[in-house]
């Protein structure tokens, strides 16, 4: 509230394309994305006139980074994610003007409980929550349970569902998955 920021948080299970979705919103490959679970730390993307990066460690210490070096701080493979409270990326996207902070999270069903808890703790503070579903397996039981236990009570009126990977489905499959999710 002090900074008058609007926090748009992207949630979903790991490997559902959250970082890819955020990159699509930004119009560039700003965040690392991959075929295996990639994001291991919170990524805050804010407006800046040129790409910038800063890591905030769990100790409270802050370090400036070259934006091309964020992979070693935010990914599972990078090895530093356990030390990271969050990484803040500055990027000149129109989406981020007016003090919007776009938050990319680790997967909500991450086997690393510490990473999962960081994600869970962010939901009540979000101004809007985008829940990314994989169209090929939308609203499986683990997602429904997460929504019931962690999201619906605290963020129902701020929740938006997005079906990702729709390009992999036929027209009939797309129609069926949209009907299923709406129901």
């Amino acid at each position: 509230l002090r900074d008058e920021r609007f926090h748009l948080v992207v949630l979903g299970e790991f490997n559902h394309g959250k970082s890819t979705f955020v990159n699509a919103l930004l119009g560039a490959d700003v965040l690392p994305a991959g075929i295996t679970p990639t994001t291991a730390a919170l990524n805050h993307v804010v407006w800046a006139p040129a790409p910038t990066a800063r890591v905030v460690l769990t100790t409270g210490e802050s370090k400036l980074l070259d934006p091309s070096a964020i992979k070693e701080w935010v990914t599972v493979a990078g090895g530093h994610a356990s030390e990271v409270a969050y990484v803040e990326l500055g990027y000149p996207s129109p989406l981020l003007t007016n003090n919007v902070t776009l938050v990319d999270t680790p997967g909500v069903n991450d086997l690393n409980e510490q990473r999962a808890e960081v994600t869970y703790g962010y939901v009540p503070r979000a101004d809007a929550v985008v829940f990314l579903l994989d169209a090929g397996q939308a609203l499986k039981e683990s997602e429904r349970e997460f929504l019931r236990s962690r999201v619906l009570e605290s963020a129902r009126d701020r929740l938006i569902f997005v079906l990702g990977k729709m390009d992999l489905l036929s027209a009939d499959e797309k129609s069926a998955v949209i009907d299923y999710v709406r129901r």
Side-chain angles (χ1 to χ4, degrees):
L1 287 173
R2 182 179 57 241
D3 296 336
E4 296 184 6
R5 288 216 154 267
F6 183 91
H7 287 84
L8 175 59
V9 177
V10 180
L11 295 178
E13 293 196 344
F14 67 79
N15 278 28
H16 276 30
K18 292 177 301 299
S19 297
T20 300
F21 175 73
V22 170
N23 286 339
L25 288 176
L26 297 171
D29 290 339
V30 177
L31 298 174
I35 195 100
T36 59
T38 303
T39 304
L42 288 170
N43 296 299
H44 295 186
V45 188
V46 298
W47 188 89
T52 62
R54 172 176 74 102
V55 62
V56 177
L57 302 174
T58 54
T59 62
E61 182 186 356
S62 175
K63 296 180 184 182
L64 293 178
L65 302 173
D66 182 309
S68 65
I70 67 160
K71 194 171 192 170
E72 65 186 77
W73 292 94
V74 301
T75 64
V76 173
H80 291 290
S82 63
E83 308 164 41
V84 176
Y86 64 93
V87 169
E88 182 176 276
L89 297 146
Y91 193 75
S93 170
L95 175 70
L96 303 171
T97 57
N98 298 318
N99 292 328
V100 171
T101 298
L102 187 53
V103 182
D104 182 33
T105 62
V108 297
N109 62 340
D110 197 311
L111 297 177
N112 179 309
E113 197 56 37
Q114 182 182 1
R115 286 197 298 260
E117 285 302 322
V118 165
T119 299
Y120 300 154
Y122 222 94
V123 173
R125 299 182 301 180
D127 295 296
V129 175
V130 171
F131 197 86
L132 190 64
L133 300 167
D134 181 330
Q137 51 182 341
L139 284 176
K140 27 185 217 198
E141 182 54 36
S142 57
E143 289 170 320
R144 289 194 306 270
E145 177 54 35
F146 171 77
L147 288 164
R148 266 192 299 273
S149 66
R150 303 284 189 158
V151 177
L152 290 178
E153 191 172 312
S154 64
R156 175 176 293 200
D157 58 337
R158 298 172 280 137
L159 183 61
I160 301 162
F161 288 97
V162 172
L163 282 164
K165 304 182 184 179
M166 290 287 280
D167 57 322
L168 303 176
L169 303 180
S170 71
D172 287 344
E173 290 169 327
K174 287 177 187 179
S175 182
V177 77
I178 290 169
D179 289 345
Y180 174 73
V181 170
R182 281 193 174 134
R183 241 187 354 269

